[in-house]
């Protein structure tokens, strides 16, 4: 009985911690500071997403036309400039299609040695700050098959797909020796080796746009909820005024 209880406790408390620790790193996260009201930023993020991410990752719960409607992109603009995926017959995906890639799971496994996760809900799973830091901390590492490693996701299987924009950087590491004589190496910074087409602040902004888009995609109703919230508050304010005068009217003969 006791053994069973311990097992159950382990499953509930320890196993989730293990899952969360997987792919974890002690590298500190930078603040993403995304702005979901900034439609232009979200549009730029959507463009980066379809150009650089949708080749490998799907966003299988999002539809192109919903994204277009939410972000103020016309359906023509969407299908002419932003739909690069194809359906199972090899034809360009329609504007009403889900944002799915044609790559099969088997192919992904062969090419990258791992499953490629769907990104629709990734911002809710990982958090905006995690994503913002992850996409900015790829660094050169000869010991990896892609030649790259990542500060947030040690030994990541994904290549540095935004290298043209960011360029290549290497890590600056610091090794400390603890009381027991064990050495600990940690990443303390980065140094650009090959510059990209963007400056560091431009690249940060581009990643912020992209993470904003991922956050929107994880919960598209966020935009709607904020718009609704404003109307609800306006309505309450109006109701307050009406109620106030009504009260005055009702009580005026009593005082
Ligand atoms: C060349 C294919 C490829 C492209 C393009 C690509 N990725 Fe990846 N991505 C991968 C692979 C493979 C993994 C799995 C890595 C692993 O498990 O080691 C991954 C993992 C991730 C993860 C971690 C997911 C998790 O659950 O831990 C995130 C986040 C991510 N990618 C975001 C992006 C974004 C954003 C873009 C566009 C800028 C992008 N990826 C473009 C192949 C790609």
């Amino acid at each position: 009985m006791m053994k069973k209880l311990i097992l159950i406790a382990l499953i509930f408390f320890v196993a989730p911690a293990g899952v969360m620790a997987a792919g974890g790193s002690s590298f500190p996260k930078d603040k993403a500071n995304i702005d979901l009201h900034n439609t232009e930023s979200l549009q730029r993020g959507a463009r980066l997403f379809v150009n650089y991410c949708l080749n490998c990752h799907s966003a299988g719960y999002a539809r192109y036309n919903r994204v277009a409607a939410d972000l103020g992109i016309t359906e023509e603009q969407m299908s002419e400039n932003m739909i690069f995926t194809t359906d199972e017959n090899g034809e360009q995906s329609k504007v009403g299609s889900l944002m799915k890639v044609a790559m099969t799971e088997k192919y992904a496994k062969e090419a990258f040695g791992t499953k490629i996760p769907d990104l629709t809900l990734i911002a809710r799973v990982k958090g905006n700050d995690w994503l913002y830091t992850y996409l900015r901390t790829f660094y050169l590492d000869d010991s990896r098959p892609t030649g790259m490693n990542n500060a947030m996701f040690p030994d990541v299987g994904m290549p540095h797909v935004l290298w043209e924009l960011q360029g290549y950087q290497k890590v600056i590491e610091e090794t400390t020796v603890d009381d027991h004589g064990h050495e600990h190496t940690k990443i303390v910074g980065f140094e650009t080796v090959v510059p990209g087409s963007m400056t560091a602040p431009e690249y940060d902004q581009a990643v912020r746009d992209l993470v904003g888009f991922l956050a929107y995609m994880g919960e598209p109703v966020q935009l709607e909820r904020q718009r609704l919230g404003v109307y609800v508050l306006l309505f309450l304010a109006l109701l307050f005024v009406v109620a106030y005068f009504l009260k005055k009217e009702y009580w005026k003969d009593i005082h």
Side-chain angles (χ1 to χ4, degrees):
M1 183 64 198
M2 199 59 201
K3 262 200 191 140
K4 244 190 196 158
L5 276 179
I6 292 175
L7 191 69
I8 290 170
L10 273 178
I11 289 170
F12 277 97
F13 297 107
V14 182
V19 169
M20 278 191 271
S25 126
S26 59
F27 192 76
K29 287 179 239 161
D30 295 324
K31 283 255 162 294
N33 291 328
I34 59 161
D35 179 5
L36 289 175
H37 295 294
N38 187 339
T39 311
E40 276 176 25
S41 164
L42 296 182
Q43 288 178 355
R44 288 194 301 265
R47 221 161 275 138
L48 286 170
F49 182 74
V50 295
N51 277 300
Y52 291 99
C53 317
L54 209 51
N55 327 338
C56 293
H57 295 272
S58 324
Y61 304 97
R63 277 182 205 282
Y64 289 104
N65 54 358
R66 167 78 197 256
V67 170
D70 282 353
L71 303 189
I73 301 167
T74 66
E75 294 205 351
E76 283 90 65
Q77 281 172 331
M78 188 55 128
S79 68
E80 275 165 28
N81 306 316
M82 294 175 67
I83 302 184
F84 308 118
T85 54
T86 48
D87 61 20
E88 51 277 8
N89 307 322
E91 283 173 33
Q92 186 196 27
S93 302
K94 304 280 182 307
V95 71
S97 314
L98 294 167
M99 299 173 89
K100 284 212 162 134
V101 284
M103 194 191 297
T104 60
E105 215 165 89
K106 184 163 166 285
Y107 176 80
K109 212 137 205 164
E110 278 163 16
F112 300 100
T114 174
K115 241 177 92 180
I116 303 185
D118 186 278
L119 292 185
T120 321
L121 301 174
I122 195 72
R124 287 165 73 175
V125 178
K126 292 288 185 175
N128 301 339
D129 296 346
W130 190 95
L131 290 170
Y132 179 68
T133 313
Y134 169 67
L135 293 168
R136 288 158 53 258
T137 57
F138 280 91
Y139 63 88
L140 292 167
D141 181 349
D142 288 339
S143 70
R144 300 293 309 151
T146 60
M148 301 296 291
N149 210 327
N150 188 278
M152 286 311 285
F153 193 149
D155 298 343
V156 68
M158 173 170 144
H160 183 20
V161 297
L162 297 174
W163 68 270
E164 281 173 310
L165 310 180
Q166 188 189 25
Y168 287 118
Q169 58 188 3
K170 64 177 187 189
V171 273
I172 305 169
E173 286 179 323
E174 206 176 71
T175 306
T176 47
V177 181
D178 66 16
D179 299 342
H180 307 285
H182 298 300
E183 285 192 355
H184 298 278
T185 307
K186 69 171 189 202
I187 299 170
V188 290
F190 298 93
E191 194 185 317
T192 303
V193 180
V194 183
S197 62
M198 290 182 169
T199 63
E202 281 169 354
Y203 183 69
D204 288 352
Q205 183 58 46
V207 173
R208 181 170 299 121
D209 296 339
L210 181 54
V211 173
F213 176 73
L214 294 173
Y216 146 76
M217 197 164 53
E219 200 174 356
V221 289
Q222 275 186 90
L223 297 181
E224 187 62 22
R225 196 157 57 210
Q226 282 163 358
R227 266 193 294 261
L228 264 179
V230 173
Y231 287 120
V232 169
L233 287 178
L234 281 176
F235 174 75
L236 285 177
L238 195 72
L239 192 69
F240 175 77
V241 174
V242 171
Y244 176 75
F245 284 109
L246 207 60
K247 169 197 166 271
K248 260 187 130 170
E249 180 66 26
Y250 283 160
W251 286 80
K252 72 171 186 263
D253 301 328
I254 295 171
H255 289 296

